[in-house]
Amino acid sequence: MLIAVDAMGGDLAPQEVVCGALRAAPDLGADVLLVGQAERVEPLLNQNGACPPNVRLRDASEVIDMEENPVRAIRRKRDASMAVAIQTVCDGEAQAVVSAGNTGALTLLSKRKLGMIGGVDRPAIAVTIPTLTGCALLLDAGAITDCKPQHLAQFAVMASQYVADVMGVAQPRVGLLNIGKEDYKGNELTREAAKVLDGIDLNFIGFVEGDDVFAGELDVVVCDGFVGNVALKVAEGLGDLVVELIRREAGKSMRARLGAMLMQPSFRRIRRQLDYREYGGALLLGLQGVCVKSHGRSDAVAMGNAVTLAKRSVETQVIDHIRESCARL
Amino acid sequence: MLIAVDAMGGDLAPQEVVCGALRAAPDLGADVLLVGQAERVEPLLNQNGACPPNVRLRDASEVIDMEENPVRAIRRKRDASMAVAIQTVCDGEAQAVVSAGNTGALTLLSKRKLGMIGGVDRPAIAVTIPTLTGCALLLDAGAITDCKPQHLAQFAVMASQYVADVMGVAQPRVGLLNIGKEDYKGNELTREAAKVLDGIDLNFIGFVEGDDVFAGELDVVVCDGFVGNVALKVAEGLGDLVVELIRREAGKSMRARLGAMLMQPSFRRIRRQLDYREYGGALLLGLQGVCVKSHGRSDAVAMGNAVTLAKRSVETQVIDHIRESCARL
């Protein structure tokens, strides 16, 4: 198996991307193809001793920037690392692609090159989030705004299959994010989507609210891409606020400072538990191939986890299973 | 000035509502009219010594439950405490009403009885949220889902006036919640609303993202009621998750337990800072009168703050100012 990695994607590329791939490689049980500007990537390959034998490099002369307009970028930069990496999957050379680069460009390029599963319109971004009992999958995290009810139904079916295959959860519990649990609550989209979901063979438990997202009683949280993106970033923002408030408190008295010092390892563990990067990145669901999107700020740990997630996704044949589930829709 | 308080509204009513009113009364500089079932409210009036002379009781035989269908409830329960309390404002007897009761019923009843400001369709719920530098106002928090661009523009104008008058902020910075800062990002609603907001005399700083909400560089965050409700509840859910993770960590080792003990006062201050109840409740904006909605789980502290907020809103004549601002729209 070969995993193609966009070595130039992400705020910390190529340094952290290459480092992550080198870290993951020895125990991966698959080969890694780093795609990017050879003159920048090559010097990084031997940074931690000899380059593992299962890592190789493919030159690609251009880079799509994080803030670039996606449509314009993919039209102009035919030899971008991201495009070349995805192409290796199209060509059957690699079985999966990983990128921490420009989300819009990745969505457009992977849709165009890999193609969509029948009945699915556009790739959705499925993000793993921490909960009180482990983790859950939330989608869409921002790829498809202005969703229609059938989009939300597709999200539910695809994510349910993904959680069953890749996370090993039997009968994943699927909730539809809403502003109340009662039938009459919500907007037009959620009320219509609930009717569609009620008629599908899924473990659909109905409407859930924002505070249920982290409570650990759901495996899949389905929502419009606008709502999902806001929800994830609001949670990130509140996390930052809490960290800052704790820091300020620790500066107020000797007692608090000592307490904070003693709790330092605990705080570190909690931050890691809340950290998106630990969970290996998001899968773009709906594509005819495995495409893992890492967070733009991914470091080596995150990139390593993303590569591992890509490998597991290929192994479990989740794409084939999603295709079969969607055919039944 | 007379403030009418729905003594039966909220999960902890009438006990905590009455207690909150009694606490706020001595320093309020206004009279309080508790409205509710006399046989249940009267015994609570002397619970902390003699009832303050500026608190009195109005009997209302019925109660709208928190989970009741709002439309049915207001049709059937004509003598509900909430309805009678709002009626006192209609009649010019009271100048403001406060309730922690059923949000849907409060929205419908206050709209029907107090009427809307010209050009505004339905009351929006404006909630005060904590930020790194103090606080900000987020609206709508769930009253109006499926908003149109002009709704978001109305929210911006009303909230801007409210923050200027009641919170004393000159030139409030208004952000429109979106999933990216660039022009082309977002859903149809936000892109259209941005165009409307650009043409209005406001300190409109453009699109903001979920992680900007708590960052302290905004005074007003404008969004659709569905998005706002999800955002607030997601933040609440993440807060609960963090608290639980800290509790678990504190149980893992002596060191962590000691650290948590030392940080106990700090944690308590942080929780208070993050607590919606400290901020006195939400204003229903767009009505021809002052109507404060306290959180359903409000305790005596929250109710006391809500009564104080109602009084400040009357004093500053914010409703008249909002009416003038909306007339210019």
Side-chain angles (χ1 to χ4, degrees):
Chain A
M1 189 195 305
L2 180 67
I3 314 284
V5 175
D6 171 11
M8 314 306 288
D11 296 334
L12 308 175
Q15 171 64 44
E16 293 290 318
V17 177
V18 174
C19 187
L22 294 178
R23 269 194 204 197
D27 303 320
L28 189 63
D31 293 344
V32 174
L33 181 70
L34 286 164
V35 182
Q37 294 170 322
E39 74 276 14
R40 293 179 63 195
V41 176
E42 198 145 33
L44 301 170
L45 288 179
N46 302 302
Q47 58 185 318
N48 302 314
C51 178
N54 59 334
V55 175
R56 52 186 198 267
L57 171 63
R58 170 79 40 89
D59 184 46
S61 63
E62 294 172 301
V63 177
I64 296 178
D65 296 325
M66 295 302 278
E67 305 300 330
E68 216 169 338
N69 181 309
V71 176
R72 225 171 303 154
I74 65 174
R75 200 180 320 132
R76 290 188 192 167
K77 296 181 173 172
R78 300 296 169 116
D79 199 41
S81 57
M82 187 190 282
V84 175
I86 297 173
Q87 188 63 41
T88 62
V89 180
C90 290
D91 297 342
E93 182 188 358
Q95 282 66 55
V97 57
V98 175
S99 175
N102 185 312
T103 307
L106 186 64
T107 310
L108 285 172
L109 273 172
S110 58
K111 181 186 171 186
R112 188 172 300 176
K113 286 180 181 283
L114 300 175
M116 300 303 299
I117 285 173
V120 182
D121 303 327
R122 283 177 60 186
I125 302 173
V127 175
T128 306
I129 54 169
T131 71
L132 263 180
T133 56
C135 61
L137 199 70
L138 182 146
L139 79 172
D140 172 44
I144 315 178
T145 58
D146 298 304
C147 279
K148 298 199 163 44
Q150 61 267 31
H151 288 120
L152 299 188
Q154 291 164 5
F155 297 169
V157 168
M158 295 191 297
S160 208
Q161 190 66 56
Y162 175 82
V163 168
D165 283 4
V166 180
M167 297 165 143
V169 177
Q171 294 276 321
R173 297 157 297 181
V174 178
L176 180 57
L177 194 53
N178 197 10
I179 64 169
K181 298 218 169 36
E182 300 85 351
D183 282 353
Y184 64 89
K185 289 219 172 147
N187 55 13
E188 278 180 40
L189 173 65
T190 50
R191 285 192 302 260
E192 287 305 312
K195 289 181 205 161
V196 179
L197 282 165
D198 273 329
I200 296 179
D201 180 25
L202 269 181
N203 187 6
F204 176 52
I205 64 160
F207 288 143
V208 298
E209 296 180 71
D211 47 348
D212 298 318
V213 167
F214 301 105
E217 291 175 6
L218 292 169
D219 302 299
V220 174
V221 180
V222 170
C223 59
D224 172 87
F226 190 94
V227 172
N229 188 284
V230 168
L232 289 172
K233 287 184 183 155
V234 160
E236 212 174 312
L238 187 77
D240 291 344
L241 177 61
V242 171
V243 168
E244 179 56 29
L245 292 179
I246 290 178
R247 184 167 306 160
R248 286 185 193 170
E249 282 292 332
K252 279 188 188 166
S253 69
M254 272 303 293
R255 173 182 170 158
R257 185 153 40 237
L258 181 59
M261 257 175 54
L262 291 171
M263 288 208 78
Q264 202 55 51
S266 305
F267 288 151
R268 212 174 296 131
R269 270 194 297 274
I270 292 172
R271 286 192 81 164
R272 200 159 58 223
Q273 206 166 337
L274 294 180
D275 191 348
Y276 59 90
R277 296 174 304 180
E278 288 295 316
Y279 297 91
L283 210 77
L284 293 191
L285 288 178
L287 294 166
Q288 300 264 26
V290 173
C291 179
V292 173
K293 164 74 182 87
S294 275
H295 198 290
R297 285 184 283 167
S298 290
D299 58 12
V301 175
M303 288 308 300
N305 289 342
V307 171
T308 308
L309 176 67
K311 194 229 169 189
R312 203 158 63 237
S313 300
V314 176
E315 261 175 359
T316 58
Q317 301 178 291
V318 64
I319 304 294
D320 291 338
H321 299 158
I322 288 176
R323 196 182 296 118
E324 290 159 20
S325 302
C326 286
R328 285 198 299 273
L329 254 184
Chain B
M1 190 195 305
L2 180 67
I3 314 283
V5 175
D6 171 11
M8 314 305 289
D11 296 333
L12 307 175
Q15 171 64 42
E16 293 291 316
V17 178
V18 174
C19 186
L22 294 177
R23 273 196 202 193
D27 303 319
L28 189 64
D31 294 342
V32 174
L33 181 69
L34 286 164
V35 183
Q37 293 171 321
E39 73 276 16
R40 293 179 64 195
V41 177
E42 197 144 35
L44 302 171
L45 288 178
N46 301 303
Q47 56 185 318
N48 302 316
C51 178
N54 59 336
V55 176
R56 52 187 197 268
L57 171 63
R58 171 79 39 92
D59 185 46
S61 62
E62 292 170 301
V63 177
I64 296 178
D65 296 324
M66 295 302 278
E67 304 302 329
E68 216 168 339
N69 180 308
V71 177
R72 224 172 304 155
I74 65 175
R75 199 180 322 131
R76 289 189 192 165
K77 295 180 171 172
R78 301 296 170 114
D79 200 41
S81 58
M82 186 189 282
V84 174
I86 297 173
Q87 189 62 42
T88 61
V89 180
C90 291
D91 298 343
E93 183 186 359
Q95 282 67 53
V97 58
V98 175
S99 175
N102 185 311
T103 307
L106 185 65
T107 311
L108 285 172
L109 272 170
S110 59
K111 180 186 171 187
R112 187 171 301 177
K113 286 180 183 284
L114 301 175
M116 299 304 299
I117 285 173
V120 183
D121 304 326
R122 285 176 59 186
I125 302 174
V127 174
T128 307
I129 54 169
T131 72
L132 264 179
T133 56
C135 60
L137 199 69
L138 181 146
L139 77 169
D140 171 47
I144 315 179
T145 58
D146 299 302
C147 279
K148 296 196 166 47
Q150 62 269 30
H151 287 120
L152 299 187
Q154 291 165 6
F155 297 170
V157 169
M158 296 192 297
S160 207
Q161 191 65 57
Y162 175 81
V163 168
D165 283 5
V166 179
M167 297 165 141
V169 176
Q171 293 277 323
R173 297 157 296 179
V174 179
L176 180 56
L177 193 54
N178 197 10
I179 64 170
K181 298 219 167 36
E182 301 85 350
D183 281 354
Y184 64 90
K185 288 217 173 152
N187 54 14
E188 278 180 41
L189 174 64
T190 49
R191 285 192 301 261
E192 286 305 310
K195 290 180 204 161
V196 179
L197 282 166
D198 272 330
I200 297 179
D201 179 25
L202 270 180
N203 186 7
F204 176 52
I205 63 160
F207 288 143
V208 298
E209 296 182 72
D211 46 348
D212 298 318
V213 167
F214 302 105
E217 290 174 10
L218 292 168
D219 303 299
V220 174
V221 179
V222 170
C223 59
D224 170 88
F226 189 94
V227 173
N229 187 284
V230 168
L232 290 171
K233 286 184 183 156
V234 160
E236 212 174 312
L238 187 77
D240 291 344
L241 177 61
V242 171
V243 168
E244 179 55 29
L245 292 179
I246 290 177
R247 185 168 306 160
R248 286 184 193 171
E249 282 292 333
K252 278 187 188 163
S253 69
M254 271 305 292
R255 174 182 169 158
R257 188 155 37 239
L258 180 60
M261 257 174 54
L262 291 171
M263 288 208 77
Q264 202 54 53
S266 304
F267 288 151
R268 211 173 297 129
R269 270 193 297 273
I270 291 172
R271 287 193 78 164
R272 199 158 59 224
Q273 205 165 337
L274 295 180
D275 192 347
Y276 58 90
R277 296 175 303 183
E278 289 295 316
Y279 297 90
L283 209 78
L284 293 191
L285 288 179
L287 295 165
Q288 299 264 26
V290 173
C291 178
V292 173
K293 164 72 181 90
S294 275
H295 197 290
R297 286 185 283 170
S298 291
D299 59 11
V301 174
M303 289 308 301
N305 288 342
V307 170
T308 308
L309 175 68
K311 193 230 170 187
R312 200 158 65 237
S313 300
V314 175
E315 261 175 2
T316 57
Q317 301 178 291
V318 63
I319 304 293
D320 290 338
H321 299 157
I322 288 177
R323 196 183 295 117
E324 289 159 20
S325 301
C326 287
R328 285 197 299 272
L329 255 186

